[in-house]
Amino acid sequence: MLHRLDLAFSRDQAEKVYVQTRMLEQARELYAWLEDGAHFYVCGDATRMAKDVDAALRLIIEQQRGRGPEDAAEYVADLKKAKRYVRDVY
């Protein structure tokens, strides 16, 4: 069941809004969802978008946990291992 939808349009308006912008705006809630077992899916452009989204996710985890980039990298690795962070990028 869908409980929330945040949209980001980088091409349809003068002010560009990116996925990572929305993620950072809702960092606390996004991290709480992950802590509660949420799955995180990324689909789309591997060249820029996926890298920027991954960097934003790591930053959010680092800031919310307050433990540094190495801990955030381990957290992301654990999400991937549990198949809770899945990327379909091209």
Side-chain angles (χ1 to χ4, degrees):
M1 175 185 299
L2 181 64
H3 294 280
R4 179 176 177 160
L5 176 65
D6 291 307
L7 303 173
F9 295 98
S10 62
R11 304 243 189 309
D12 296 342
Q13 59 205 28
E15 179 186 351
K16 296 185 182 304
V17 179
Y18 298 101
V19 173
Q20 60 271 23
T21 305
R22 294 291 187 233
M23 290 170 61
L24 292 166
E25 289 171 353
Q26 301 299 325
R28 185 179 313 164
E29 188 169 10
L30 176 58
Y31 178 70
W33 288 345
L34 292 173
E35 284 290 283
D36 285 341
H39 290 239
F40 191 84
Y41 298 95
V42 178
C43 182
D45 173 50
T47 306
R48 295 206 37 157
M49 183 277 299
K51 291 177 185 176
D52 293 343
V53 167
D54 187 74
L57 179 62
R58 291 168 188 269
L59 179 61
I60 288 166
I61 293 166
E62 181 180 342
Q63 290 175 341
Q64 295 300 307
R65 290 172 63 89
R67 297 184 189 163
E70 296 82 16
D71 176 74
E74 186 176 319
Y75 190 100
V76 168
D78 289 344
L79 288 173
K80 288 179 178 180
K81 188 184 304 182
K83 298 190 182 346
R84 290 180 45 218
Y85 178 26
V86 179
R87 294 165 33 116
D88 179 13
V89 297
Y90 42 88

